[in-house]
């Protein structure tokens, strides 16, 4: 089957986790609007953010936490790979 280099896997995990942590959170804040359905009724900022939190906030926070959890193994893989590379370079 297909075997990937551990460094590539680590970099992929960091990039994907960073997107979930930062990119998805920013996109959710910018593009998920919790406005009224139907006629344009004025809504106070407090009600807007309360509606946003109830509709999108919890999912956004959970996705950000998953992104952070994915970044951690990616960094650990790169650190282990770097240590192995340094040991191999010293032995040569």
């Amino acid at each position: 089957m297909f075997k990937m280099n551990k460094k590539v896997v680590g970099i992929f995990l960091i990039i994907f986790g960073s997107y979930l942590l930062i990119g998805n959170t920013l996109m959710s804040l910018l593009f998920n609007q919790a406005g009224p359905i139907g006629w344009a009724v004025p809504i106070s900022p407090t009600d807007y953010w309360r509606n946003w939190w109830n509709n999108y906030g919890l999912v956004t926070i959970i996705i950000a936490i998953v992104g952070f959890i994915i970044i951690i193994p990616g960094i650990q893989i790169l650190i282990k790979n770097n240590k192995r590379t340094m040991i191999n370079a010293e032995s040569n």
Side-chain angles (χ1 to χ4, degrees):
M1 192 83 178
F2 182 69
K3 182 178 177 184
M4 292 182 71
N5 187 0
K6 290 200 183 265
K7 185 176 181 181
V8 173
V9 172
I11 291 172
F12 174 77
L13 288 175
I14 291 173
I15 290 172
F16 184 65
S18 297
Y19 166 74
L20 291 178
L21 180 63
I22 298 168
N24 186 56
T25 304
L26 290 177
M27 295 297 177
S28 179
L29 284 170
L30 293 175
F31 296 118
N32 289 335
Q33 296 183 1
I37 298 172
W39 291 298
V41 178
I43 186 170
S44 69
T46 306
D47 288 338
Y48 175 83
W49 286 110
R50 187 179 304 129
N51 291 339
W52 183 87
W53 177 257
N54 288 333
N55 291 331
Y56 309 109
L58 187 60
V59 173
T60 302
I61 298 299
I62 290 171
I63 290 174
I65 291 170
V66 168
F68 182 72
I69 291 171
I70 290 174
I71 289 173
I72 293 171
I75 292 172
Q76 290 174 346
I77 289 171
L78 288 179
I79 289 172
K80 287 179 185 177
N81 189 29
N82 191 20
K83 286 181 182 177
R84 262 191 242 129
T85 305
M86 291 177 74
I87 291 171
N88 288 340
E90 288 174 359
S91 65
N92 289 335

